[in-house]
Amino acid sequence: MTRISEEQVRHVAHLARLAITDEEVHTFTEQLDAIITFAEQLNELDTSNVKPTSHVLDMKNVLRKDESAPGLDQEEVLKNAPDQQDGQIRVPSIIE
Amino acid sequence: MSLFDHKLTEIQSMIEKKEVSIPDLVDESFKRIAAVDGEVKAFITLDEERARKQAEDAQATGKTGVLSGIPIGVKDNIVTKGLRTTAASQILFNFDPIYDATVVNKLREAGTITVGKLNMDEFAMGSSTENSSFQKTRNPWNLNHVPGGSSGGSAASVAAGEVPFSLGSDTGGSIRQPASFCGVVGMKPTYGRVSRFGLIAFASSLDQIGPITRNVEDNAHLLEAIVGADPQDSTSANVPAENFAAGLTGDVKGLRIAVPKEYLGEGVSEEVRQSVLDALKVLEGLGATWEEVSLPHSKYGVATYYLLASSEASSNLARFDGIRYGYRAEGAENLIDLYKKTRAEGFGDEVKRRIMLGTFALSSGYYDAYYKKAQQVRTLIKKDFEDVLESYDVIIGPTTPTPAFKIGEIIDDPLTMYANDILTIPVNLAGVPGISVPCGFAENGLPLGLQIIGRHFDEKTVYRVAHAYEQATDFHKEKPEL
């Protein structure tokens, strides 16, 4: 039984904002299916009473004082933008 | 004999006696790079002009500490202001950072001189450095073999004598595995020891920056310079810096070593197994004792890791969209199309594969079955380590199941490639510190590495054991012929 279909791979690629060719759909379906099948070995373990670990250190709610500090310089920030105009980053139109 | 065959304290005493100058050290680095990097291909970008100027300035102002004036290479996923930083990805091919990572600031304060940026697997995803978008780094011990990864450039540059030390990053073994493959010393500190601010994030709950050096003492000096809480990284731990080098007493009498049977079992090659047993004999000779233990959930480490690390990566890499920096695709019709084309053209295959896996594991309907399940198994793996380290001072095993494989040998088989990290991944999942030190050579002449794992924030003991072993053996004195 396959764990993941070509249709699912296309959907996931859309969620991940990746353009994908038909050939890639085919390859990724095979490879992701193999990886997910491999990962299903975790089902051998009963984890019904196990708390999930998202982070290994015992720390939560790290706070700092709410003080203003200088941010990044606008000219510096814009330096890496592929397209810009009048101190702003330019993108294709969003509204049809 | 190269200047970099000396340890740091010896180099500093040579500077003091005016036998060598800081410009000499930097010159040594660039000469060696010019001589061998055409073959080794460890560096993506060099910063020669600035480095030479810094060397002149440092010489003029006078040295102050053990790291003053020492050339260093930095993995190319650590941002350096005004020095191109690519994470070995096409999507950042022209990225010019506007600030320095915290570790880079700390090193500058300590006086090191950055000579350039080191090759790696794209976004640190890989175990061979073959996933770099720019070049394949080669193992200095045998140019047909991989240097390991993802910090392959960091390990190869130190092994090849191009720099006395480098920084790498380790998410599932990316410092220790290449250190093992290249016959050098690589430390992954406790999660939270070193600030991740300015490290291009792969898997934020696992990533740690750490030093790669020719010997344990230098490694301890370098780590001391980069540790500490950082207001810019809320996951950096508020644990004071320690003088790790002062703890290198050579004394391991009464030390209790745990050897997990899972680390010497199936999949681990006979010569690797033998090298670890030999190392344990050396440590026994120094007064330590060892016993076999079990880390029963080790075999689930790789699956757990690939689900968690890929999920975190799919989120972290969402920022690369062609808008604010890096590569932007041409000819997109609308914004979504621009994102999709930019990412399809900018990311390599392995990065796409992991983004896809992570997006799938986090997607509606699959989250509980894959992502949450893996987080629960992570709890069990972490507990394995905590249980064993309650009764033992360190855990010892091999760093990798085999010596370095050939370039091209397993690049088309993701699962076999992933299995290479089976002995290093659990250490990241548990968040404990681990080091790889040279412990022999395979029949084909390639180096082998011994992995020493300690308790949270007990790098001091890990270093003490590594140093005692190193001083009792000669493997770290061997150098590749280039």
Side-chain angles (χ1 to χ4, degrees), chain B residues 105-184:
Chain B
N105 277 327
K106 281 177 177 277
L107 284 175
R108 183 182 316 98
E109 282 161 28
T112 66
I113 295 171
T114 302
V115 300
K117 303 301 293 290
L118 291 157
N119 197 28
M120 52 186 282
D121 287 296
E122 183 179 5
F123 287 107
M125 296 177 188
S127 310
S128 66
T129 310
E130 291 167 288
N131 292 332
S132 167
S133 302
F134 304 119
Q135 62 201 31
K136 285 186 182 29
T137 299
R138 306 200 281 178
N139 192 312
W141 293 87
N142 181 333
L143 298 171
N144 296 320
H145 288 250
V146 302
S150 67
S151 309
S154 302
S157 62
V158 173
E162 296 174 313
V163 277
F165 53 62
S166 64
L167 288 184
S169 69
D170 191 316
T171 306
S174 283
I175 288 173
R176 290 159 289 154
Q177 186 255 22
S180 173
F181 278 10
C182 291
V184 293

Side-chain angles (χ1 to χ4, degrees), chain B residues 171-469:
Chain B
T171 306
S174 283
I175 288 173
R176 290 159 289 154
Q177 186 255 22
S180 173
F181 278 10
C182 291
V184 293
V185 180
M187 171 64 123
K188 183 207 85 77
T190 308
Y191 181 80
R193 248 304 180 191
V194 179
S195 166
R196 295 183 295 107
F197 181 68
L199 173 66
I200 296 173
F202 161 16
S204 305
S205 80
L206 301 161
D207 298 340
Q208 265 294 284
I209 295 170
I212 296 178
T213 57
R214 290 269 279 276
N215 63 70
V216 174
E217 188 184 312
D218 288 359
N219 205 284
H221 283 300
L222 187 49
L223 182 63
E224 186 186 345
I226 60 172
V227 298
D230 177 8
Q232 304 272 33
D233 172 9
S234 60
T235 64
S236 63
N238 193 10
V239 176
E242 281 178 69
N243 187 341
F244 299 114
L248 306 178
T249 57
D251 182 8
V252 291
K253 272 194 200 71
L255 183 94
R256 294 158 304 171
I257 301 168
V259 180
K261 61 178 185 203
E262 294 82 4
Y263 279 46
L264 294 176
E266 203 187 331
V268 176
S269 81
E270 184 49 35
E271 53 189 353
V272 168
R273 209 175 75 89
Q274 196 52 50
S275 74
V276 172
L277 293 173
D278 290 347
L280 290 167
K281 269 192 205 125
V282 170
L283 288 163
E284 268 184 323
L286 296 170
T289 57
W290 69 272
E291 286 179 317
E292 191 177 275
V293 300
S294 177
L295 296 171
H297 299 96
S298 293
K299 69 166 179 166
Y300 300 106
V302 174
T304 303
Y305 172 84
Y306 278 93
L307 289 172
L308 294 181
S310 301
S311 296
E312 293 184 27
S314 71
S315 169
N316 275 326
L317 271 61
R319 72 191 58 165
F320 301 104
D321 57 6
I323 304 296
R324 291 155 298 164
Y325 38 70
Y327 176 78
R328 180 186 284 195
E330 301 278 330
E333 285 166 16
N334 57 49
L335 193 63
I336 298 287
D337 191 36
L338 174 73
Y339 294 154
K340 286 188 173 180
K341 280 185 82 158
T342 295
R343 290 161 63 80
E345 291 167 20
F347 289 138
D349 286 346
E350 181 62 26
V351 173
K352 287 183 195 171
R353 194 152 43 233
R354 296 204 202 185
I355 290 174
M356 295 280 290
L357 175 64
T359 306
F360 173 74
L362 290 175
S363 66
S364 168
Y366 298 95
Y367 179 92
D368 282 351
Y370 296 107
Y371 182 67
K372 188 177 165 209
K373 181 79 184 181
Q375 283 190 313
Q376 289 173 312
V377 179
R378 182 175 185 182
T379 305
L380 299 176
I381 290 170
K382 182 173 173 249
K383 192 167 180 306
D384 282 356
F385 279 85
E386 284 164 354
D387 289 349
V388 166
L389 288 166
E390 238 173 65
S391 321
Y392 297 88
D393 300 303
V394 290
I395 297 170
I396 287 185
T399 308
T400 60
T402 63
F405 42 90
K406 284 197 176 118
I407 292 170
E409 200 174 356
I410 55 176
I411 190 69
D412 295 326
D413 182 356
L415 280 173
T416 303
M417 186 69 90
Y418 297 173
N420 205 265
D421 297 329
I422 191 162
L423 306 175
T424 47
I425 278 172
V427 175
N428 298 76
L429 291 170
V432 291
I435 199 170
S436 180
V437 287
C439 72
F441 293 89
E443 219 166 88
N444 61 8
L446 287 161
L448 303 172
L450 185 74
Q451 187 175 205
I452 305 168
I453 301 157
R455 300 185 184 113
H456 284 123
F457 298 104
D458 193 15
E459 284 85 354
K460 206 163 187 171
T461 302
V462 172
Y463 275 134
R464 179 163 57 91
V465 179
H467 175 257
Y469 171 73

